[in-house]
Amino acid sequence: MALPGRLDGALSPRASLQGTENKNMGLLSLAIWLPIVCGAVLLALGRDSNAGVVRWLALAAALLSFLVTIPLITGFDTGTAALQFQENLAWIERFNVRYHLGVDGISVWFVLLTAFITVIVVIAGWEVITDRVHQYMGAFLILSGIMVGVFSAVDGLLFYVFFEATLIPMYIVIGVWGGPRRVYAAFKFFLYTLAGSLLMLVALVYLYYKSGGSFSLLDWHRLPLPMSAQALLFFAFFAAFAVKVPMWPVHTWLPDAHVEAPTGGSVVLAAIMLKLGAYGFLRFSMPIAPDAAREYAWLIIALSLIAVVYIGLVALVQQDMKKLVAYSSIAHMGFVTLGFFVFSELGVSGGLVQMISHGFVSGAMFLCIGVLYDRVHSREIASYGGVVNTMPKFTAFAVFFAMANCGLPGTAGFVGEWMVILGAVKYDFWIGLLAASSLVFGAAYTLWMVKRVYFGAVANDDVKALQDIGAREFLMLAVLAIAVLWMGLLPKPFTDVMHVSVTELLKHVAVSKLN
């Protein structure tokens, strides 16, 4: 089947990509396979391996994997929406499946964010994880490479393989190093996300045959489709991506997974894995089925507003700090999907900025809870009180991240939400007003937790015995604090990178593909 002429899109057609492959230097493959291979090596060391050596090897691998991703930004051309740093090789030739990688302004920041968070997670588990250290560090390194693969894949089947493969390491992390109900939480996480993805696989197979035997996203973005087919494809993709975000009402797996997961698992789950679903909306749902995306935008907006408002109210009554921050993540991701489906540059860019900032802020929030849990072995808000009296340095970080979670101006948490609200007001004043008013709930549940945990008189002997953070914990929190401040005070480098790609995506979605 011959494909029609060019439609401007998030991924420009192949003809416009000439010359971009020469500068790739295999960076994306290195970013994917370096942590995977290093993780496999750590797994092969066995339980008898020296835990100290394993930790240093894991840190070296994580740092090297992060350094590999830096040239993706320093060498990124912000003036084009074309894919950059491409690698395009035959994989399964019989079915025209290709090992096709590339990043644009929408995806490149998430590659860096994934590698950066992996370094933080390795440092966070340095002293806390004492059992099966090689497996713990190996699982996170492998997961890091797989998630980079999701953000880099330009072949539909390759994307699906990476997308589903993320379940395995996270399932193991929750199931082995999690809390008392870890097996239940791990199964619920696995089944929810796997069930949603099965419909996506059906959609990919349909698009393969409809496009004349191609799994290329570039081809699928230009493929004309009737409205009935677009609607079915849109909801098939929705089933996979909505669960991953997660959107209301398929969000119930997330609080359980967060509560039972170890601190590192919660950090990666909130900072990166939730972003895979939102990224899928931009890469699949909107450009492949633009008419259906515009037709059913009201549904996504409604579900997003429910997440922002209702889930915010649910967070207000939580007694467990991890559950409170988990529900907070659902509310913040509601802002992301709201921004995407108001179809404005402010909204989509704001959603992307919110995804990145949420990676920093939510990761930091879970690390702070982990610091307290490691000392007191309780996540209940009632177990604390007056922490500032015994841990002043830690409290300074914790309160700063809580303020960022509220959307305090000058922090990363403010920029994305403000852009989404502006985009929503432009789309419909009342939608924007409802989204803006929900910020009150975010401030309420966050400040309520901060007041009861950190301020006031010392509540009990456990709090009285607390010792302030050491150099390792100070380092990981300080690095995240710098990132939150940098993005809050100087968001332009982030928005400049994504600007042209977002503009092209919106142009593409505005053009009908009905045949």
Side-chain angles (χ1 to χ4, degrees):
M1 175 179 175
L3 292 172
R6 184 181 189 276
L7 284 174
D8 290 323
L11 297 180
S12 302
R14 198 181 307 276
S16 66
L17 301 176
Q18 298 300 320
T20 61
E21 298 187 21
N22 296 330
K23 68 172 185 177
N24 72 75
M25 299 177 291
L27 288 174
L28 288 175
S29 281
L30 270 176
I32 293 169
W33 297 107
L34 178 61
I36 291 176
V37 170
C38 291
V41 170
L42 291 184
L43 292 179
L45 291 178
R47 296 190 66 173
D48 296 330
S49 55
N50 184 287
V53 172
V54 168
R55 293 184 182 104
W56 282 108
L57 288 174
L59 180 60
L63 283 170
L64 188 57
S65 300
F66 175 63
L67 291 175
V68 164
T69 65
I70 292 177
L72 297 175
I73 281 294
T74 58
F76 192 84
D77 182 359
T78 59
T80 176
L83 287 170
Q84 301 180 44
F85 303 98
Q86 283 194 89
E87 300 170 45
N88 194 349
L89 304 170
W91 179 25
I92 308 174
E93 293 190 61
R94 181 176 178 183
F95 299 104
N96 197 24
V97 182
R98 303 192 65 80
Y99 178 78
H100 191 180
L101 306 175
V103 290
D104 63 357
I106 290 173
S107 57
V108 67
W109 278 117
F110 297 107
V111 174
L112 269 80
L113 180 64
T114 301
F116 172 76
I117 291 295
T118 303
V119 176
I120 298 295
V121 166
V122 170
I123 296 172
W126 199 266
E127 296 175 359
V128 179
I129 302 300
T130 56
D131 183 38
R132 300 179 181 178
V133 177
H134 69 294
Q135 293 178 352
Y136 180 87
M137 297 297 183
F140 276 111
L141 287 172
I142 291 170
L143 179 58
S144 174
I146 293 171
M147 291 188 297
V148 171
V150 175
F151 293 120
S152 306
V154 188
D155 181 275
L157 191 61
L158 183 65
F159 174 92
Y160 183 80
V161 170
F162 281 130
F163 189 81
E164 291 300 279
T166 59
L167 299 181
I168 301 169
M170 184 54 71
Y171 173 81
I172 294 171
V173 166
I174 297 172
V176 175
W177 292 276
R181 299 176 71 242
R182 59 184 179 273
V183 175
Y184 165 77
F187 266 102
K188 190 173 183 180
F189 158 74
F190 193 91
L191 292 176
Y192 260 71
T193 50
L194 179 64
S197 300
L198 292 178
L199 285 176
M200 179 171 72
L201 180 60
V202 175
L204 299 184
V205 172
Y206 171 83
L207 287 166
Y208 171 75
Y209 285 109
K210 189 70 174 176
S211 62
S214 173
F215 277 108
S216 172
L217 294 188
L218 307 176
D219 293 339
W220 291 354
H221 287 188
R222 296 180 291 150
L223 183 66
L225 294 165
M227 188 61 188
S228 57
Q230 286 195 41
L232 290 173
L233 287 169
F234 181 82
F235 284 109
F237 289 131
F238 175 81
F241 301 140
V243 170
K244 207 81 165 184
V245 167
M247 297 180 69
W248 182 89
V250 288
H251 66 282
T252 57
W253 64 268
L254 184 66
D256 290 323
H258 269 309
V259 167
E260 299 304 323
T263 298
S266 291
V267 171
V268 170
L269 195 59
I272 309 297
M273 290 196 73
L274 303 190
K275 314 305 184 291
L276 302 182
Y279 175 76
F281 281 121
L282 295 182
R283 201 53 101 211
F284 285 82
S285 304
M286 292 168 66
I288 292 174
D291 299 279
R294 295 194 303 271
E295 178 71 21
Y296 297 105
W298 64 270
L299 175 62
I300 307 297
I301 290 171
L303 294 178
S304 300
L305 288 174
I306 291 173
V308 170
V309 178
Y310 167 69
I311 298 299
L313 292 172
V314 172
L316 270 171
V317 299
Q318 299 305 312
Q319 303 299 318
D320 184 303
M321 288 188 288
K322 257 196 173 184
K323 268 197 175 181
L324 187 149
V325 179
Y327 281 113
S328 167
S329 292
I330 299 170
H332 283 112
M333 291 304 293
F335 269 100
V336 172
T337 48
L338 173 63
F340 288 172
F341 283 88
V342 297
F343 301 112
S344 71
E345 187 179 342
L346 265 176
V348 176
S349 296
L352 287 168
V353 169
Q354 174 74 350
M355 287 166 68
I356 300 167
S357 69
H358 181 260
F360 294 139
V361 175
S362 66
M365 293 281 286
F366 280 113
L367 284 172
C368 289
I369 295 170
V371 167
L372 291 175
Y373 182 80
D374 294 340
R375 289 160 167 77
V376 180
H377 302 293
S378 174
R379 293 183 300 266
E380 294 296 316
I381 294 173
S383 300
Y384 299 91
V387 172
V388 68
N389 297 287
T390 50
M391 301 180 72
K393 288 189 290 186
F394 167 71
T395 300
F397 282 118
V399 172
F400 171 74
F401 293 129
M403 294 300 101
N405 196 55
C406 295
L408 181 72
T411 66
F414 172 77
V415 181
E417 289 185 355
W418 180 244
M419 292 173 70
V420 170
I421 290 170
L422 289 178
V425 168
K426 185 178 178 181
Y427 180 82
D428 184 282
F429 173 79
W430 296 108
I431 290 175
L433 180 63
L434 188 58
S437 63
S438 67
L439 295 178
V440 176
F441 302 135
Y445 59 69
T446 305
L447 295 176
W448 176 79
M449 179 183 71
V450 166
K451 177 181 179 296
R452 297 188 63 187
V453 172
Y454 298 107
F455 295 119
V458 173
N460 52 54
D461 291 338
D462 287 334
V463 175
K464 187 177 182 180
L466 287 175
Q467 293 187 346
D468 213 342
I469 51 176
R472 176 186 61 87
E473 294 166 325
F474 186 93
L475 173 64
M476 66 182 186
L477 295 177
V479 170
L480 283 167
I482 291 168
V484 170
L485 270 177
W486 175 36
M487 192 171 186
L489 297 173
L490 193 64
K492 191 173 185 294
F494 296 90
T495 56
D496 282 352
V497 167
M498 61 185 67
H499 169 69
V500 176
S501 294
V502 168
T503 302
E504 286 294 303
L505 171 65
L506 292 171
K507 287 181 182 177
H508 181 92
V509 175
V511 177
S512 176
K513 289 175 63 177
L514 297 178
N515 62 354

